[in-house]
Amino acid sequence: MVESSSGNFALALAFYCRMLGISFVPVIDPNCNKATETQLRLLCERVEKVAIRDAADSYLKSRLSRVQELLVDLDSAYWPNQYANPDAREAHYRFTAGELIAQAGPLDYLFVGVGTGGTIAGLSHRIKETYPGCVVVAVDTEGSVIFGGPPKKRRIPGIGSSIVPPLCGQAQIDHVEIVPEARAVEACGTLVAKYGLYAGGSTGSTYAAVQDYFARHRPGATRPGATRPRVAFIAADRGHAYAQTVYDPMWVQQLRAEAVQPVGVEALAVN
């Protein structure tokens, strides 16, 4: 099994393949959290780590290119292709949405972070079928190209993409919120301070989107007879893997400095 992932999906495949006695080769990049990389190297005999940025100043296309090379080099290798596999959409339609409806429904608003598109594709269809008036808000990060924004260096894994994943085109989306990474870090701090929720970067992005969206829109219930809106957002990661990034003051300081750095300064310094 070979797959491009630097986060939860790689860990899930690593555990599952170990259980089945199948060799798994994750293809990761420098944005992979140290804790996640350590776990992968414990679980997998071979871990491929790319180091060259692609034209979008990201690593995704480099990871995908390495996956294609490994499929040729390795005997009987299989690539699940989480960016286009309909089983990803179906799993979220059946299981994630089923859990969400049972525990949080009925819903007026749903905020979902977008990376491969599988989560929002599955959730949006099931939620819209169950609660037709529910507003689905896709959350992306600044620098991702999924919704047509310009490419930019990104440092927080788990959200955004330097390609437009085919699964995203299958989602039913009402609005899109683009969140800067510094804003996501700020939201992570708010979740800890206010709710004691130690969450990762993609969760921080989604929570920031909730706050920013309702700062501009007056919340209202979409369900007949409801007086107060019910809002849900997907918290897809925990904070432990981000202890040395999102929760490290020095890392955050560098992130904020890069966010205000004029384009071309780094290149001038190198030359």
Side-chain angles (χ1 to χ4, degrees):
M1 186 88 72
V2 179
E3 182 59 286
S4 159
S5 174
S6 289
N8 290 340
F9 190 53
L11 287 173
L13 279 178
F15 281 113
Y16 192 55
C17 287
R18 172 62 66 94
M19 223 166 39
L20 296 175
I22 298 171
S23 295
F24 172 52
V25 181
V27 180
I28 65 174
D29 63 52
N31 284 337
C32 180
N33 294 307
K34 186 175 181 180
T36 300
E37 182 174 349
T38 299
Q39 280 187 275
L40 288 174
R41 293 192 182 279
L42 286 171
L43 290 166
C44 307
E45 293 181 4
R46 179 175 179 178
V47 175
E48 292 282 327
K49 188 173 184 178
V50 303
I52 300 174
R53 289 185 177 273
D54 55 33
D57 205 13
S58 181
Y59 296 101
L60 178 55
K61 292 180 181 178
S62 297
R63 293 204 320 254
L64 293 175
S65 293
R66 186 60 185 140
V67 166
Q68 295 306 312
E69 292 171 354
L70 289 168
L71 291 176
V72 174
D73 294 341
L74 301 175
D75 292 331
S76 304
Y78 172 69
W79 175 37
N81 189 4
Q82 61 170 323
Y83 308 94
N85 194 324
D87 287 344
R89 180 199 61 227
E90 181 65 17
H92 288 292
Y93 178 91
R94 293 177 59 190
F95 301 113
T96 313
E99 182 178 344
L100 181 63
I101 291 166
Q103 296 187 17
L107 297 175
D108 296 293
Y109 297 88
L110 175 63
F111 290 74
V112 185
V114 180
T116 64
T119 304
I120 196 166
L123 281 178
S124 63
H125 279 270
R126 179 82 178 271
I127 293 300
K128 290 281 192 182
E129 289 175 4
T130 310
Y131 313 117
C134 183
V135 176
V136 175
V137 182
V139 182
D140 198 8
T141 185
E142 199 173 76
S144 167
V145 305
I146 295 175
F147 297 103
K152 176 183 174 183
K153 180 180 178 181
R154 293 178 288 113
R155 300 184 65 178
I156 298 177
I159 188 168
S161 178
S162 56
I163 65 171
V164 180
L167 288 175
C168 285
Q170 301 174 29
Q172 296 185 20
I173 297 169
D174 297 299
H175 299 283
V176 176
E177 283 285 320
I178 307 297
V179 179
E181 290 189 317
R183 179 75 182 93
V185 170
E186 178 186 319
C188 284
T190 301
L191 284 171
V192 170
K194 193 171 183 179
Y195 302 104
L197 181 60
Y198 189 42
S202 64
T203 298
S205 299
T206 309
Y207 182 61
V210 175
Q211 294 179 311
D212 296 347
Y213 179 87
F214 288 115
R216 302 190 315 273
H217 300 83
R218 183 177 179 179
T222 61
R223 293 161 292 136
T227 57
R228 298 179 61 187
R230 178 169 290 183
V231 181
F233 71 97
I234 304 300
D237 52 4
R238 298 179 180 179
H240 302 81
Y242 296 80
Q244 295 177 311
T245 53
V246 168
Y247 294 96
D248 179 357
M250 294 298 293
W251 186 90
V252 174
Q253 184 178 10
Q254 184 179 357
L255 175 71
R256 288 173 175 160
E258 289 183 1
V260 299
Q261 185 177 6
V263 176
V265 168
E266 186 177 7
L268 288 171
V270 173
N271 293 332

